[in-house]
Amino acid sequence: MGITRMIYMVTMVFSLIVLILSSSTTGYDYFQFTQQYQLAACNSNPTPCKDPPEKLFTVHGLWPSNSNGPDPVNCKPKTKVPQAPQPIDASLKPQLDIIWPNVFNRADNESFWNKQWDKHGTCGSPTIKDKNHYFQTVIKMYITQKQNVSRILSKANINPDGIGRTRKLIESAIRNGTNDKEPKLKCQKYNGTIELVEVTLCSNYLGKQFINCPNKIPEGSRYFCPIKDIQY
């Protein structure tokens, strides 16, 4: 084997190893930023909410996801020596209490945040650096970048007044606030009416650019939003 061919082979093998390692550590190709409408979330929950819900969309979670194949979950490294969990920075908690409450039990917000971090946030590397960066990223998206679904809908004069609306109207309003990118909607039936329960905004692998949400809820699912009469 000539020296040139040997160098070529070594380079190809090295490139393949790098590709395998990078794909195994990445595990996702876009982010879902999902927000839940408190009133509808409480209505669809089998256990009554312990506190009165507000007519607001608040954060459910920021989820690293895949366009094809399963989404990654619970990506904390497995170590032989147990490690103490990283505490949430106290300076972040007042904002998290407002934008990311545990809708079902507001006395226990922190366990909800920790659950979201353990299940989803741990899978966001390298975009998400650590636990507190995960929460900082959500605060930035919701407040600084104005990815607040209630605010986006309100700018289109769509307010939580219990009026039935078309799916097209809701989607168009959200597209106007996300560079014309398609959201993912989740609905559920309550007392004979279809309520808008969740809205998901999707962004690229770095979380910096809106994309059309892949993997819409399929027609036939109990969470599918019909063409019209969606109550919000």
Side-chain angles (χ1 to χ4, degrees):
M1 181 184 292
I3 186 69
T4 302
R5 183 171 175 78
M6 184 179 293
I7 293 172
Y8 173 77
M9 291 296 292
V10 169
T11 302
M12 289 298 293
V13 170
F14 177 76
S15 300
L16 181 60
I17 291 172
V18 170
L19 179 63
I20 292 170
L21 289 175
S22 62
S23 64
S24 64
T25 55
T26 299
Y28 71 98
D29 54 39
Y30 76 102
F31 279 101
Q32 296 188 73
F33 185 33
T34 299
Q35 297 169 44
Q36 55 189 347
Y37 180 49
Q38 292 189 15
L39 188 62
C42 285
N43 287 342
S44 63
N45 195 48
T47 305
C49 290
K50 293 189 176 182
D51 306 281
E54 299 176 79
K55 292 184 176 182
L56 289 172
F57 274 93
T58 47
V59 178
H60 187 170
L62 178 64
W63 306 331
S65 304
N66 283 313
S67 302
N68 298 296
D71 297 330
V73 292
N74 300 317
C75 301
K76 291 175 72 173
K78 295 178 175 59
T79 58
K80 293 182 179 180
V81 180
Q83 296 180 335
Q86 179 187 5
I88 300 174
D89 189 331
S91 67
L92 302 177
K93 293 181 181 180
Q95 288 175 299
L96 294 174
D97 280 329
I98 295 171
I99 72 169
W100 202 343
N102 179 349
V103 175
F104 308 118
N105 181 9
R106 294 170 191 270
D108 198 18
N109 285 344
E110 194 155 342
S111 70
F112 182 41
W113 305 332
N114 281 319
K115 181 180 178 181
Q116 289 295 312
W117 160 251
D118 289 339
K119 185 175 181 180
H120 300 287
T122 55
C123 301
S125 177
T127 300
I128 301 298
K129 310 303 181 188
D130 58 28
K131 186 175 184 177
N132 282 313
H133 184 240
Y134 177 63
F135 297 118
Q136 289 165 350
T137 300
V138 170
I139 290 170
K140 182 179 179 181
M141 293 171 78
Y142 190 91
I143 297 176
T144 310
Q145 297 176 349
K146 299 180 173 61
Q147 296 184 38
N148 172 341
V149 170
S150 289
R151 184 179 185 276
I152 291 172
L153 292 174
S154 179
K155 286 183 70 173
N157 201 31
I158 299 177
N159 298 300
D161 44 24
I163 293 176
R165 295 178 171 88
T166 66
R167 185 176 68 216
K168 183 177 180 180
L169 181 67
I170 295 169
E171 288 180 341
S172 295
I174 296 168
R175 291 178 75 120
N176 286 339
T178 58
N179 295 331
D180 199 29
K181 300 304 180 184
E182 193 173 353
K184 180 165 78 174
L185 307 183
K186 175 182 175 181
C187 294
Q188 193 157 339
K189 184 176 286 188
Y190 174 72
N191 282 350
T193 62
I194 301 295
E195 294 185 323
L196 180 62
V197 179
E198 287 185 349
V199 172
T200 297
L201 312 179
C202 298
S203 56
N204 66 356
Y205 168 82
L206 296 174
K208 294 184 179 297
Q209 183 176 337
F210 290 116
I211 64 170
N212 292 322
C213 284
N215 304 324
K216 303 293 189 304
I217 293 173
E219 189 171 358
S221 166
R222 66 190 181 112
Y223 300 120
F224 180 74
C225 292
I227 294 175
K228 60 181 182 179
D229 296 328
I230 300 172
Q231 191 175 101
Y232 165 64

